[in-house]
């Protein structure tokens, strides 16, 4: 008997009688999801700004990071000339990316997380390997909790997708918080309110 | 070495024990703050418990659905009956692809299977990439906590370890500086890696995908850069539907560290073009535990470690005292299922205070199960001789009023006349961390005397 059959028959023989799966109503009246989102995201180490258009995003990113050569933009409607020096399929080349600008699909007020599907990244490694991450999110796409988030995304639409909540961090040395573990050292979120 | 002996050694460093105790309690307090800020908290716990209980009652069907969907997504699914099977499967993927460079993110299952040791015996080096796990790997130790693997170490220890292995400055202890050194060191490993091993937090039957949660981003750096990704999961990681992730992701990080959610909650459904994606589904005793009505609830665990952080015994004895991949109250329930003889001491490493049960996000009746394991272990003959004789003596004393009264008098007499016997830490282990009472008389004597005065 294969391991598969062995496991499945042991599970079948040992499982308890079928217990019903309940359903729950998670709807909630939320007064100010934008405010909660901003405060929560700031609380977990992200920065948030509200902008009127993408031009403002470009201006701010260049102000902070200067050199355009090491910045990769994946927001289609943002006017940007990506450097041809970075090959997005090559790890060694990608490691040189200073900043990545990507578009988020849904923001979650209760925890500051933003859903980013693979299509918005180009390469799955991009939001992790870049030194600094910039996410552009429409201010109208913020929902109160994870329940509403899952109701409005399709996790199977792409082969990969991720909720990103703040910059990468660790507290593995004496529980002392350090921002910038293996992923991006900073996360700047621009809420687009056009 | 059994838990109490190992704990005694841990306790010798009083300052460190105090620090360990207080630091974990601080994490528990963060958890409380996070939990109390969610109005739906108790409802979420109810829901999580129901989803897991339901899933366990239909687990074989959900496993089949998951396998089917995962295969359709282009993922190769393997089944491992035990730890050895698991290690052999991972090894065969490594060998058939002629792989040299392997990175791994945190997976308690691979710890449980002693995979790193197995690979080392085959001459294969697996690089742990979670910062805490890398620290303990350098030191040839094991994680002492499932969420904070190096919580038993102080910054001076880490500084010395990194000085030896990464060439950081001698005596440097700044966590920021040490973390940066690890970042640089591991970035090189990620970029060179050919194969990445990760754990699985949740596997979704409905979609055939799985979710991995990290704060550091190491699972993603590994999985997205390597050309082969192997995700290892226990059979109990299944949840029926995507929408159930809403419940579990709201509970997990809040229970674990008090964060509203981990930095990255990564949803894997299909391999990249030209990438191989494998899932190894492991039983290793879980189906046996499923058949134990008193203990099957332990399979609901989502590995948040809230029960560790709140446990007065864990906080004061350290994770290594539990001699099991998963320590703490949940580990003490899971371990005897794997090996009763070797882990018979663990269900006794508890005060049965019930705090673990109160904080568990999936409502496992932890302290009840610890108490039930004690009964099973004594019945099966795995109790220590001192416990057996002690229990027998107590039975005789407590079931015979004459002996009971005599023993009470004798005890008080000893305390009065030759107190050094009661205050000898060798003869009376109870005295080690406690003061002995002043013995005036028994409650019974007091009560009888009081009635006589009326």
């Amino acid at each position: 008997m294969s391991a598969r059959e062995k496991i499945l028959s042991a599970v079948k023989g040992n499982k308890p009688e079928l217990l019903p799966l309940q359903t729950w109503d998670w709807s909630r009246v939320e007064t100010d999801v934008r405010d909660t989102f901003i405060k929560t995201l700031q609380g977990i180490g992200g920065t948030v700004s509200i902008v009127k258009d993408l031009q403002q995003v470009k201006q701010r990113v260049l102000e902070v990071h200067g050199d355009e050569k090491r910045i990769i933009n994946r927001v289609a409607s943002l006017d940007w000339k990506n450097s041809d020096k970075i090959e997005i399929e090559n790890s060694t080349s990608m490691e040189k990316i200073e900043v990545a600008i990507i578009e988020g699909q849904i923001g979650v007020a209760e925890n500051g997380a933003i859903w980013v599907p693979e299509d918005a990244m180009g390469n799955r490694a991009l939001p992790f390997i870049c030194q600094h991450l910039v996410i552009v999110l429409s201010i109208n796409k913020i929902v109160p909790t994870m329940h509403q988030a899952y109701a409005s995304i399709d996790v199977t639409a792409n082969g990969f997708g991720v909720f990103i909540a703040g910059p990468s961090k660790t507290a593995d040395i004496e529980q002392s918080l350090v921002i910038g573990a293996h992923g991006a050292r900073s996360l700047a979120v621009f809420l687009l309110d056009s | 070495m059994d838990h109490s002996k190992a704990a005694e050694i841990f306790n010798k460093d009083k300052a460190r024990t105090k620090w360990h105790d207080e630091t974990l309690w601080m994490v528990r307090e963060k958890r409380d703050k996070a939990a109390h800020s969610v109005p739906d908290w108790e409802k979420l716990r109810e829901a999580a418990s129901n989803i897991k209980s339901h899933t366990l009652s239909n687990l074989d069907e959900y496993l089949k659905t998951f396998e089917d969907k995962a295969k359709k997504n282009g993922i190769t699914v393997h089944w491992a009956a035990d730890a050895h099977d698991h290690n052999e499967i991972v090894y065969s993927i490594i060998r058939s692809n002629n792989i040299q460079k392997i990175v791994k993110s945190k997976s308690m299952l691979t710890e449980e299977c002693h995979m790193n040791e197995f690979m080392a015996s085959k001459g294969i080096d697996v690089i742990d990439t979670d910062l805490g796990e890398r620290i303990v790997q350098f030191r040839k130790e094991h994680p002492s906590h499932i969420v904070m693997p190096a919580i038993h170490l102080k910054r001076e220890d880490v500084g010395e370890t990194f000085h030896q292995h990464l060439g950081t400055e001698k005596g440097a202890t700044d966590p920021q500086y040490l973390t940066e050194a690890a970042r640089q060191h591991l970035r090189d490993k990620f970029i060179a890696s050919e194969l990445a091993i990760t754990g699985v937090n949740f596997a979704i039957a409905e979609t055939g995908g799985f979710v991995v949660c990290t704060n550091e981003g190491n699972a993603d750096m590994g999985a997205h850069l390597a050309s082969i990704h192997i995700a290892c999961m226990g059979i109990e990681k299944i949840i029926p539907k995507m929408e159930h992730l809403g419940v579990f992701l709201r509970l997990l990080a809040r229970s674990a560290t008090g964060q509203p959610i981990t930095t990255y909650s990564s949803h894997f459904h299909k391999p990249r073009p030209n990438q191989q994606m494998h899932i190894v589904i492991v039983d290793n005793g879980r189906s046996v535990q499923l058949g134990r009505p008193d203990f099957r609830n332990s399979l609901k665990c989502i590995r948040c470690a809230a029960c560790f952080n709140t446990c007065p015994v864990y906080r004061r004895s350290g994770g290594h005292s539990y001699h099991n991949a998963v320590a703490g109250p949940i580990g003490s329930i899971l371990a005897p299922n794997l090996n009763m003889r070797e882990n018979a001491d663990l269900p006794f490493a508890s005060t049965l205070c019930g705090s673990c049960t109160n904080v568990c996000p999936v409502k496992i009746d932890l302290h009840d199960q610890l108490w039930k394991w004690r009964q099973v272990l004594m019945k099966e003959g795995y109790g220590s001789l001192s416990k057996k004789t002690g229990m027998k003596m107590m039975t005789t004393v407590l079931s015979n009023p004459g002996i009971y009264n005599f023993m009470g008098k004798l005890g008080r007499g000893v305390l009065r006349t030759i107190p050094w016997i009661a205050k000898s830490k060798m003869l009376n282990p109870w005295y080690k961390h406690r003061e002995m009472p002043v013995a005036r008389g028994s409650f019974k004597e007091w009560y009888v005397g009081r009635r006589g005065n009326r």
Side-chain angles (χ1 to χ4, degrees), chain B residues 358-377:
Chain B
N358 289 334
V359 296
C360 178
V362 291
K363 296 198 139 192
I364 299 170
D365 50 341
L366 286 136
H367 72 295
D368 284 337
Q369 293 192 37
L370 288 166
W371 174 67
K372 284 172 185 161
W373 260 127
R374 291 181 186 186
Q375 297 170 55
V376 172
L377 292 163

Side-chain angles (χ1 to χ4, degrees), chain A residues 111-125:
Chain A
N111 55 24
I114 299 171
W115 176 253
V116 183
E118 184 170 7
D119 282 348
M121 307 167 192
N123 182 310
R124 291 179 189 187

Side-chain angles (χ1 to χ4, degrees), chain B residues 212-231:
Chain B
V212 181
C213 304
T214 75
N215 280 319
E216 298 183 4
N218 56 318
D220 290 280
M221 285 292 280
H224 305 321
L225 295 177
S227 55
I228 302 171
H229 176 188
I230 306 176

Side-chain angles (χ1 to χ4, degrees), chain A:
Chain A
M1 195 159 49
S2 74
R4 180 184 183 276
E5 270 65 59
K6 217 155 80 185
I7 294 167
L8 288 174
S9 79
V11 168
K12 194 174 180 183
N14 287 345
K15 68 179 180 181
E17 239 176 86
L18 186 67
L19 291 160
L21 177 62
Q22 293 165 24
T23 50
W24 297 268
D25 176 17
W26 301 106
S27 58
R28 219 167 59 193
V29 188
E30 202 64 40
T31 45
D32 196 348
V33 288
R34 292 176 189 184
D35 194 46
T36 311
F37 178 80
I38 292 169
K39 278 188 188 140
T40 312
L41 186 49
Q42 285 167 340
I44 55 176
T47 61
V48 192
S49 351
I50 299 175
V51 290
K52 288 282 165 215
D53 54 43
L54 286 170
Q55 200 52 39
Q56 269 184 291
V57 175
K58 183 173 184 177
Q59 209 178 331
R60 292 283 291 281
V61 172
L62 289 175
E63 257 171 44
V64 178
H65 299 285
D67 193 0
E68 209 171 336
K69 283 189 209 89
R70 295 172 70 188
I71 304 176
I72 288 281
N73 169 52
R74 293 283 315 168
V75 183
S77 45
L78 174 58
D79 162 44
W80 197 285
K81 191 183 173 297
N82 278 329
S83 163
D84 46 15
K85 291 219 169 68
I86 293 169
E87 299 164 55
I88 204 140
E89 291 308 321
N90 176 328
S91 312
T92 318
S93 178
M94 281 188 81
E95 217 276 313
K96 299 196 171 64
I97 298 171
E98 188 66 18
V99 184
I101 310 171
I102 58 177
E103 199 171 349
Q105 204 177 76
I106 290 285
V108 188
E110 66 160 336
N111 55 24
I114 299 171
W115 176 253
V116 183
E118 184 170 7
D119 282 348
M121 307 167 192
N123 182 310
R124 291 179 189 187
L126 184 66
F128 308 95
I129 202 167
C130 63
Q131 298 291 329
H132 302 276
L133 182 62
V134 175
I135 301 182
V136 180
L137 177 71
S138 164
I139 201 160
N140 303 315
K141 298 281 187 180
I142 299 171
V143 295
T145 72
M146 292 300 280
H147 307 296
Q148 291 81 30
Y150 278 110
S152 49
I153 60 173
D154 176 8
V155 295
T156 59
N158 290 181
F160 176 73
V162 58
F163 279 106
I164 299 177
S168 96
K169 56 176 85 73
T170 184
D172 273 351
I173 302 172
E174 272 196 18
Q175 272 300 289
S176 162
L177 180 69
V178 178
I179 302 284
H182 299 303
R185 296 173 191 273
S186 75
L187 171 69
V189 173
F190 290 95
L191 294 175
L192 197 57
D193 187 8
S194 45

Side-chain angles (χ1 to χ4, degrees), chain A residues 4, chain B residues 61-75 77 79 204-209 281:
Chain A
R4 180 184 183 276
Chain B
E61 292 302 323
Y62 281 127
L63 281 165
K64 284 190 264 185
T65 311
F66 174 74
E67 178 192 37
D68 184 46
K69 300 274 177 181
K71 279 180 168 170
K72 284 189 179 128
N73 288 339
I75 304 172
V77 180
W79 299 78
I204 315 142
E206 173 187 52
T207 66
I281 301 175

